[in-house]
């Protein structure tokens, strides 16, 4: 179950790509269209599968930073 989910998330690529952002209007910063839950799963699933090689806590903290942003 987790393996199929991680394959789907990997197929999306980098979730910070410009194609996943709403266009910025009048000098505003572009906003991400990626739901928090998807970012959380992308950070958590490798740990659930025991794939901690190459993973860092930076992924999880990156999710928490985005959640705290206004």
């Amino acid at each position: 179950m987790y393996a199929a989910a991680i394959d789907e998330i990997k197929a999306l690529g980098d979730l910070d790509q410009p194609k996943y952002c709403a266009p910025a209007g009048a000098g505003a910063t572009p906003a991400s269209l990626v739901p928090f839950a998807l970012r959380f799963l992308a950070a958590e699933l490798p740990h659930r599968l025991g794939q901690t090689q190459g993973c860092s806590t930076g992924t999880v903290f990156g999710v928490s930073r985005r959640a705290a942003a206004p």
Side-chain angles (χ1 to χ4, degrees):
M1 179 167 97
Y2 294 137
I6 197 76
D7 289 342
E8 292 295 325
I9 290 172
K10 284 181 181 178
L12 293 173
D14 181 12
L15 298 178
D16 291 326
Q17 293 180 63
K19 68 180 181 180
Y20 297 128
C21 291
T29 305
S32 175
L33 298 175
V34 178
F36 172 80
L38 182 57
R39 288 186 183 277
F40 181 80
L41 286 173
E44 180 65 23
L45 283 175
H47 298 284
R48 298 281 177 162
L49 291 170
Q51 299 175 354
T52 56
Q53 182 76 12
C55 292
S56 70
T57 55
T59 307
V60 175
F61 289 124
V63 170
S64 66
R65 276 194 305 274
R66 284 191 168 275

